[in-house]
Each structure stands twice: as C-alpha cells, then as structure tokens.
Amino acid sequence: MELFNTKTRKVEEFKPLKQQEVKVYYCGPTVYNFAHIGNLRTYVFCDLVVKSLKFLGYNVKTVMNITDVDDKTIRDSQAAGETLKEYTEKYTKHFLEDIEKIWITQADEVVPVTGLIPEMVRMIQTMLNRKNAYLAEDGSIYFDVKSFKKYGRLAHLDMKGMKESVRVDNDEYEKDNAADFVLWKSWKESDGENFWNETFTVNGEEVVLKGRPGWHIECSACNMKHFGAQIDIHMWGCDLVFPHHQNEVAQTEACTRKEFAKYWLHSGHLTVDGKKMAKSANNFYTIADLEKKYSNIEQELLFRAIRLSFMNGKYSDSVDFSFDKIEANINTLNKVDESVKNLSRSINNGAKSVSGISRDFRNEMQVVVSEYMARLEDDFNMPEAIAEFHGFVKFVNTWIADKTFSVEEEMALMDMYETFNTVLGIVNFDIIEADEEIPADILELLEQRNAAKAEKDFDTADTLRDALSAQGYKIVDSRDGSYVEKV
Ligand code: AMP
Ligand code: ZN
C-alpha cells in the first residue's frame, strides 16, 4: 500500500506502527451551523480512506473530535439566544444525520471537546513545565514556537525570518503570520458564560486562569486521550496543514517527545466554477438545498449521486461541483440499479443450463478483485477504482443478457457487487427487495395474462396487459418467461 505523505511530500509505503491496529484521526466539524457539501467532501475522503484500509485487511480504529467551543460557536449561540451546549448539540445532530445520508460511517469515537478540558489542561501544564509554553500578561497561555526546533516542518515553513515573541490569539491565520499561538485563551466579555476556571502552575506558583482552550489543543488532547502519543494516520482538508495541523504536531510532540502522526493525508477542495465552495463566498449548498432542488428524485438515489460526485477525482485535487454532474451521476446510478435488479431477477428465475462455479469464472473474478485492490493500494486512486467498478457492471450486463452463468455464478456476481460497495457505497441493495415486492393481485393478473397468451387468446392477454398498466405495472417478456416491473 502506498500513500502520499504531506510531511515528506513523497509517496511512501504504508507501514503501520503496529500491524494489529491502525490508528486514524481526523478533525471533526465546528458545529456552529449546517455543514455545506464542501465540508462533506472532506468527510467522504476520510470515509474512503478508512473503508479502503479496512477492505485491504487492516484493523482500523478511528477518532474524530467535535469542536463545540470556539469563537464561532460562542458568537452564533449568543446570537441565537441559546446556551453553547444546546446550540452545538443541535448542529452536531444535524451533522451526524447529514453524513449518514451519504453513507459515511461515523468514527468509532466522536468526541465533543468540551469533555476534554482536564486533558487539555494537563498537556498545557506539561508544556509550561518544559518551557514550551508561557503565560502572557493578558492571562492567556501561548506556545513558544521558537522552543520547538521542528516547528514548520509539516507545513514546510521557512522560520528564519520569524520575529521573537510575536503572538496570535486567533485560531486561524496565514503562514506569513506564523507566531506563538494560543493554548489557553483568557476570558473576554464577548465570551459571556462560556469559560472554565482552571489551575495552572507557572514558575512554581499556582494561578487560576479564567478562559477556554484554543482550537489546536483540542485535537492534540483528543488524540492523547483516545490513542496516546502516536498515531498512524492524521487526515483532513488541505487548508488545515497550517496552522492547525502544524500546531497539533508542536503541542503533542512537545509533550511526548515522540513523532505524533506517521502519515498526514490531505484532501483538495470542492469548488464551484473553479472557486472554493465556502459560506463566505455564498456559493455553497447544504444537503437540504439539494434535497429541495431534487425533490422529484428518490432521496437515497440523490444521496448516492452526491457521494459519487466527490469520488470521481483524485482526493488531493479539487473536484468541481455542478448540477450537471449530479444529474449525470443519477443516470449512471440508475443503470447500476438496473444491472443489480437484472442480476437478482436472473438469480430468482432459477433454472439454467449450467451449474456450479467454473474455474474460468473464479479466475476472472480473482483478477477483478485484485485489480480493484491495486487501485485502492495506489494512494486511494478512486477514479481508477470506480473505472474498475464500471468495467464490472458492463461485464455483468453483457453476460447476463447472454444467459451465460449458473445461479451459483450469478450469486457470486452479486457478492462482487457487495465487495465493491464496501468502499464505494454507491449501490443500494434495498432496491432489489423493493423490486420484488409485487402485490399478490398483480401477480395473479400476470398469471392469467400468461395463461391467455399460452392459449393464444391474445385479446384477453392484451386486456390484462392494459389492466396491469393501469395499475402501474409493465410486463417484461424475456427468454426465461414474463415478469412485471413497477413503472
Ligand atoms: P468551514 O465550515 O469553512 O469552517 O470549514 C470547515 C472545514 O471543512 C475546513 O477546515 C475544510 O477542511 C473543510 N472545507 C470547507 N470548505 C470546503 C470545500 N469547499 N471543499 C472541501 N473541504 C472544505
Ligand atoms: Zn484537528
């Protein structure tokens, strides 16, 4: 397995710290509003990485934080007249509902960071003890960037020109403003009721500091609590390499003196007409917006089309979003559904001239699976993995039409669909059941029509066909007999 590591800017062979368990962390949402689909593209990327690793046989454990205290959550909860807890819980719920819709599996641990204050305080205290952090006049504690020799390596910063004792207390800032960053933010009036009184020991004296954590320490503490000093993979969108991930490295390694994450993976953005989708650019859509726009489409089909639109590009590149793409994906997935239904019908129709699984068939399937795995092992090459999948759909359609397979082989083909889908998540097997739920009275009419046809009573057969059609069912005549389909 090979992957591109942001830290080295190289494609590297993936060697987990321990073979048994791969520790994977990704930064979670700041729950101050609904997620837009740009945010969700990044979660689909994380989901594909995790599912690919599992599919390739790794035992993966995942942790994600929920940022439920920061400038934005405080600002917007106050504007809404709600407590921070009420407000962030509401948007956490919306977020978890949205990711479920597009088949993203929740992390094993989803951790709201307000539950991690003791862990954060402990880490900050260690940094104070080691002189990697200092208390400033304003009652905030800052990380001393100059004290950490490796600062800037992950983000490939040139630190030579950095001035001494320049500080930032914003959580987000540009590379040009690299400076000592805040670990514990002293209380300001605008924070209202949202603060903690925590005791720190500074130069041998205990001080109680009224304030709240900075954003970066949240992820360091979350990792420390759930994984310990080291993890295998840390990932998220490319915009977080600096300052957030760089600062996570500094904090954790200052405390542990061990390499924090072995591999760093970063995904590109979702763009609209080449411009990053963002709330500030007002070019964003939420899942609810798309549900409304496509209210005439089955929602689960729409969700799969949304998911697919994020996957058809190299994860590290930008992917452009458009309604045309969503519609093209809906068409593509309709064809996939048709293939799955045809296969299911053919299995249910039973009697075939051949039985068992032939050696050629077995060999062919092994080649398909190993080609697919090779694409995933190639730095999660989704466009090529999806191309393998479409090749498989074509293979199934061609040969099913020719009635080449035994029932056992057809069942193996259905298993192959499931195999592809453990990572891709774009096939919905529920459609098979829906397709098979034909009411008894409709089946009765079909039987009467088939009997009339067999007796060459074409007038009755046509009348019964019309009666079925009036009830929304179409008769499909195939070589293996006739069946009805809901129109
Ligand atoms: P925001 O809601 O803008 O604070 O974004 C939160 C996170 O979502 C960012 O750190 C990004 O990594 C990710 N994100 C935001 N916009 C996009 C986008 N257009 N494409 C991909 N990821 C995005
Ligand atoms: Zn983080």
Side-chain angles (χ1 to χ4, degrees), residues 32 36 38-39 42 72 236-237 239-240 268-270 276-277:
Y32 69 107
H36 60 66
N39 305 132
T42 309
K72 291 185 251 189
W236 189 241
D239 57 317
L240 293 199
H269 286 132
L270 188 69
K276 182 184 168 191
M277 183 178 284

Side-chain angles (χ1 to χ4, degrees), residues 27-30 32 34-43 72 172 215 236-240 267-272 275-280 283 319:
C27 304
T30 302
Y32 69 107
F34 291 100
H36 60 66
I37 57 169
N39 305 132
L40 296 175
R41 184 216 164 174
T42 309
Y43 290 98
K72 291 185 251 189
E172 293 170 75
W215 172 37
W236 189 241
C238 57
D239 57 317
L240 293 199
S267 67
H269 286 132
L270 188 69
T271 54
V272 184
K275 211 171 153 211
K276 182 184 168 191
M277 183 178 284
K279 291 208 174 95
S280 56
N283 62 351
V319 170

Side-chain angles (χ1 to χ4, degrees), residues 225-244:
K225 172 159 181 186
H226 291 278
F227 283 139
Q230 293 186 291
I231 61 171
D232 294 283
I233 297 179
H234 195 313
M235 55 187 172
W236 189 241
C238 57
D239 57 317
L240 293 199
V241 179
F242 186 85
H244 184 59

Side-chain angles (χ1 to χ4, degrees), residues 429-440:
F429 295 96
D430 292 344
I431 54 166
I432 301 173
E433 279 164 36
D435 190 46
E436 282 162 3
E437 277 168 19
I438 309 281

Side-chain angles (χ1 to χ4, degrees), residues 25-28 65 215-216 218-220 234 240 244-245 248:
Y25 184 86
Y26 45 95
C27 304
N65 74 304
W215 172 37
H216 315 298
E218 298 174 353
C219 286
S220 286
H234 195 313
L240 293 199
H244 184 59
H245 290 163
E248 280 188 46

